[in-house]
């Protein structure tokens, strides 16, 4: 399900506070899934924090969304800055459907002049990527093709059943 959230940034919030609000939204959306640990989501959001704060401070998230792909959730998050940030009503409630997610990926925009910095931050993370998710791809499909070596939950269940 496609969802959108607008998060108020400056002058209502500093970039670090805005990233904290985004982190809370993502964690609270995914933490009810038995396949996703809240502490792991928090850790990935901490890794992405440097890029996230720069994207917010530069106004890039006002124009380019970050996307959480966690089938059935497809969450697009943008920030609102300037005078609009003072009057926008936010919906900070967790996005429905996160409890059904079995995998997830956070896609960060990489606009110039921050592209190299964002690329270096997402490199090596199984849950961070650049740009937009592939059209029609689920988080599980994206995670398996972009981060090979993830645990195959179905195989673990079969092995447990065989014992």
């Amino acid at each position: 399900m496609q969802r959108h959230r607008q998060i108020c940034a400056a002058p209502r919030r500093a970039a670090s506070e805005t990233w904290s609000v985004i982190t809370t939204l993502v964690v609270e959306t995914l933490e009810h899934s038995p396949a996703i640990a809240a502490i792991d989501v928090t850790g990935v959001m901490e890794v992405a924090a440097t890029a996230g704060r720069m994207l917010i401070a530069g106004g890039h998230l006002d124009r380019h969304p970050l996307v959480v792909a966690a089938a059935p959730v497809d969450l697009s998050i943008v920030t609102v800055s300037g005078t609009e940030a003072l009057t926008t009503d936010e919906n900070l409630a967790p996005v429905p459907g996160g409890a059904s997610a079995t995998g997830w990926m956070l896609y960060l925009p990489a606009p110039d002049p921050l592209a190299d910095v964002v690329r270096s931050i997402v490199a090596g993370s199984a849950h961070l990527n650049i740009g937009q998710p592939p059209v029609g791809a689920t988080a599980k499909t994206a995670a398996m093709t972009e981060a090979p070596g993830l645990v195959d939950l179905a195989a673990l269940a079969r092995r447990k059943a065989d014992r």
Side-chain angles (χ1 to χ4, degrees):
M1 71 187 81
Q2 179 73 40
R3 300 289 184 172
H4 303 278
R5 292 290 196 264
Q6 292 182 322
I7 308 300
C8 294
R12 189 166 171 180
R13 291 187 185 100
S16 59
E17 186 181 356
T18 304
W19 185 256
S20 178
V21 170
I22 292 170
T23 296
T24 299
L25 174 62
V26 173
V27 171
E28 288 179 355
T29 295
L30 299 176
E31 72 182 349
H32 298 291
S33 168
I36 301 171
I39 194 162
D40 293 338
V41 178
T42 301
V44 170
M45 295 303 288
E46 287 175 6
V47 168
T50 301
R53 289 189 301 263
M54 286 190 287
L55 290 165
I56 293 164
H60 299 289
L61 287 186
D62 288 7
R63 297 177 305 279
H64 309 285
L66 62 87
V67 177
V68 177
V73 174
D74 185 6
L75 173 61
S76 178
I77 302 171
V78 295
T79 54
V80 178
S81 300
T83 56
E84 192 178 351
L86 300 173
T87 58
T88 298
D89 289 328
E90 298 172 303
N91 179 357
L92 301 178
V95 174
S100 300
T102 58
W104 68 285
M105 183 73 67
L106 177 67
Y107 290 86
L108 295 166
D112 285 329
L114 300 176
D116 290 339
V117 174
V118 175
R119 275 190 203 95
S120 69
I121 289 170
V122 304
S125 174
H127 295 286
L128 294 174
N129 210 326
I130 293 173
Q132 296 294 309
V135 176
T138 65
K140 182 177 179 182
T141 303
M144 291 303 181
T145 59
E146 294 164 7
L150 294 178
V151 175
D152 182 350
L153 297 175
L156 287 175
R158 286 191 304 271
R159 183 174 178 176
K160 186 175 181 182
D162 291 341
R163 288 182 181 212

